[in-house]
């Protein structure tokens, strides 16, 4: 007599599913994916979930946040000052590759339950 299979879901797997949903949502809105999971070298750096290009040429740095429910402020509350600083640090590092950096903005895509909310220009550098 066997045991039923146990569904194992790591935080990474859960995050990947959320990023996939956010990516589809942004692509349907006309944004084009440039890079996924950009990380600065070394420890203590930053990470950007999605780097996208808008149709007007704007470079969009996207943070994807998922929460099961709205307790403790929900997904939006999890993008605090420290998280924003790390994203900005990574964006500045990414922008070093450009002689003339394009216009940029920082967006956040929130996934809560079945709902997706896209906050454009959610914070400034």
């Amino acid at each position: 007599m066997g045991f039923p299979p146990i569904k194992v879901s790591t935080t990474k797997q859960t995050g990947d599913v959320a990023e996939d949903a956010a990516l589809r949502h942004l692509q349907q809105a006309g944004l084009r994916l440039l890079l996924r999971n950009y990380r600065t070298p070394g420890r203590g750096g930053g990470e950007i979930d999605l780097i996208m290009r808008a149709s007007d040429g704007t470079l969009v740095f996207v943070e994807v946040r998922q929460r099961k429910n709205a307790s403790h402020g929900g997904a939006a509350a999890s993008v605090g000052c420290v998280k924003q600083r790390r994203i900005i640090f990574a964006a500045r590092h990414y922008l070093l590759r450009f002689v003339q950096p394009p216009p940029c903005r920082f967006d956040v895509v929130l996934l809560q339950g079945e709902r997706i909310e896209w906050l454009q220009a959610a914070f400034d550098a």
Side-chain angles (χ1 to χ4, degrees):
M1 183 170 173
F3 294 98
I6 298 172
K7 185 177 178 184
V8 177
S9 178
T10 66
T11 303
K12 169 91 172 94
Q13 289 169 329
T14 302
D16 287 347
V17 169
E19 282 180 18
D20 289 343
L23 178 58
R24 279 191 306 276
H25 185 79
L26 296 171
Q27 288 175 323
Q28 288 172 353
L31 276 71
R32 184 171 51 90
L33 178 66
L34 298 179
L35 200 58
R36 192 169 175 166
N37 299 121
Y38 176 78
R39 287 181 172 77
T40 58
R43 295 188 58 178
E47 189 244 345
I48 301 169
D49 295 327
L50 303 169
I51 300 177
M52 312 283 293
R53 172 104 44 203
S55 59
D56 67 357
T58 300
L59 203 56
V60 183
F61 299 102
V62 182
E63 175 67 10
V64 179
R65 303 304 279 184
Q66 180 179 29
R67 294 291 180 267
K68 290 181 183 176
N69 56 54
S71 66
H72 305 292
S78 68
V79 186
C81 292
V82 173
K83 184 66 175 171
Q84 289 177 25
R85 274 197 307 267
R86 287 178 172 259
I87 295 166
I88 292 166
F89 177 81
R92 285 185 175 144
H93 186 270
Y94 180 81
L95 289 170
L96 291 174
R97 66 185 65 203
F98 293 92
V99 174
Q100 180 70 27
C104 304
R105 73 171 191 250
F106 296 92
D107 291 3
V108 176
V109 175
L110 308 170
L111 293 97
Q112 209 158 274
E114 297 297 316
R115 200 173 120 215
I116 296 179
E117 186 177 358
W118 176 20
L119 306 176
Q120 296 182 39
F123 58 92
D124 294 315

